[in-house]
Amino acid sequence: MTSLDKPTEDTTEADDSRAVTEAALFEAFGGLRGMIETVLPGLLFVTIFTLNNDLHMSAIAALAVSLVLVVVRLVMKDTVKHAFSGVFGVAFGVVFAMMTDNAKNFYLPGMLYTLGLALAYIVTSLAGVPLIGLILGPVFKENLSWRTRNPGRKKAYTKASYAWGLILLAKSAILFPLYWFADTEQLGWVLVTLKIPPFLLAVWLTWVFLAKAPAPIDVFAEMEAAEEAEKAGRERREQEADGTLPGPPSGADGADVEGADPRGGRHRKA
């Protein structure tokens, strides 16, 4: 290997690590389709309500489009966790709005969830178990190995969790005053506007922190290797017990060598 080979290899490994991180984040947070599924019901609600101030029509339309998004994923045999979470969020909003006859309350469950999630990110980081690590650990096939075996990665997860928490707190600090003092249309349009940019900022910061962190420990591969070793050991013990274990080749221990002395010496020919 020449002196120029190693930098090339290091660069390739770094690029591979970044690509794996990007793919994992894309999977964990739903990607482009997940963002559309997050924005579309609220956008439809505020658009219809702005046009005709009809709470029932706006709520039904938002819930209907959420259900359609789930059906589309089911038909395409795709993961439905992001679409289902959207349906539950919209359903809670519809119930709150209908029960109180206040269109603003369509947004209240989501706002409370955002505030609770922000606090969860910060509290778990302070406790040494950052929430983003719990979310992404299975995606990276490392589970909780980062807690005790990969301190550099734990540090990156902690930074990312703080970033998520502070960004969501800032978003809540904008929305809750609007909930109290602005009208439904103003709150709705601001909320729709704030759906994607804070999310993208948090995902980007997570990528930055993890791209610089040590590689994840693949605990699934470790478990598979341990199972293979245990299986090989069990087969060897069974062969030894049955007497079918292959012995050393003839002459390997000197027993069949011509003129060999059983005591370890050799006889010279006459």
Side-chain angles (χ1 to χ4, degrees):
M1 181 175 67
T2 66
S3 60
L4 296 177
D5 290 334
K6 186 172 179 52
T8 302
E9 292 175 359
D10 291 343
T11 301
T12 302
E13 290 178 0
D15 291 341
D16 290 343
S17 177
R18 291 190 182 96
V20 169
T21 301
E22 290 172 4
L25 291 175
F26 192 87
E27 176 185 345
F29 297 116
L32 180 60
R33 179 186 280 186
M35 288 188 285
I36 293 173
E37 291 169 345
T38 299
V39 172
L40 191 56
L43 177 60
L44 190 59
F45 179 91
V46 70
T47 300
I48 294 176
F49 192 83
T50 300
L51 293 175
N52 59 19
N53 281 340
D54 190 327
L55 170 59
H56 289 77
M57 182 182 294
S58 302
I60 292 172
L63 186 58
V65 75
S66 297
L67 292 172
V68 168
L69 293 172
V70 171
V71 171
V72 169
R73 280 192 178 264
L74 289 172
V75 170
M76 298 179 66
K77 297 181 179 180
D78 202 353
T79 178
V80 296
K81 60 181 180 181
H82 300 290
F84 266 130
S85 64
V87 167
F88 289 131
V90 171
F92 277 117
V94 168
V95 170
F96 267 62
M98 294 289 193
M99 289 179 61
T100 60
D101 198 28
N102 184 349
K104 276 188 183 181
N105 287 336
F106 174 79
Y107 304 108
L108 186 58
M111 292 167 56
L112 292 173
Y113 173 77
T114 298
L115 179 59
L117 190 59
L119 296 176
Y121 276 119
I122 293 174
V123 170
T124 55
S125 297
L126 291 172
V129 193
L131 181 58
I132 200 71
L134 300 178
I135 295 171
L136 294 181
V139 178
F140 284 109
K141 300 181 180 180
E142 59 182 336
N143 284 349
L144 297 179
S145 63
W146 49 267
R147 287 197 63 198
T148 55
R149 299 172 57 191
N150 205 337
R153 200 155 181 86
K154 179 180 178 180
K155 184 177 180 181
Y157 280 139
T158 301
K159 290 180 179 179
S161 289
Y162 276 125
W164 277 89
L166 293 174
I167 289 170
L168 294 180
L169 275 181
K171 180 178 176 180
S172 297
I174 295 172
L175 292 177
F176 276 97
L178 289 175
Y179 174 80
W180 293 110
F181 301 113
D183 59 33
T184 301
E185 292 87 345
Q186 291 171 331
L187 174 62
W189 286 113
V190 172
L191 196 146
V192 168
T193 303
L194 290 179
K195 279 284 186 180
I196 300 303
F199 171 80
L200 291 180
L201 175 60
V203 171
W204 178 75
L205 289 173
T206 302
W207 177 83
V208 169
F209 295 138
L210 291 181
K212 297 178 181 179
I217 298 171
D218 192 337
V219 295
F220 295 111
E222 289 183 344
M223 288 189 291
E224 290 176 359
E227 289 176 359
E228 289 294 329
E230 182 181 355
K231 180 180 178 182
R234 185 168 58 251
E235 291 176 351
R236 182 178 180 85
R237 288 191 296 272
E238 290 174 354
Q239 289 176 341
E240 288 176 346
D242 296 340
T244 58
L245 185 68
S250 180
D253 59 358
D256 296 329
V257 177
E258 183 180 1
D261 190 331
R263 294 170 297 178
R266 292 182 181 273
H267 295 296
R268 288 182 298 175
K269 293 183 179 180

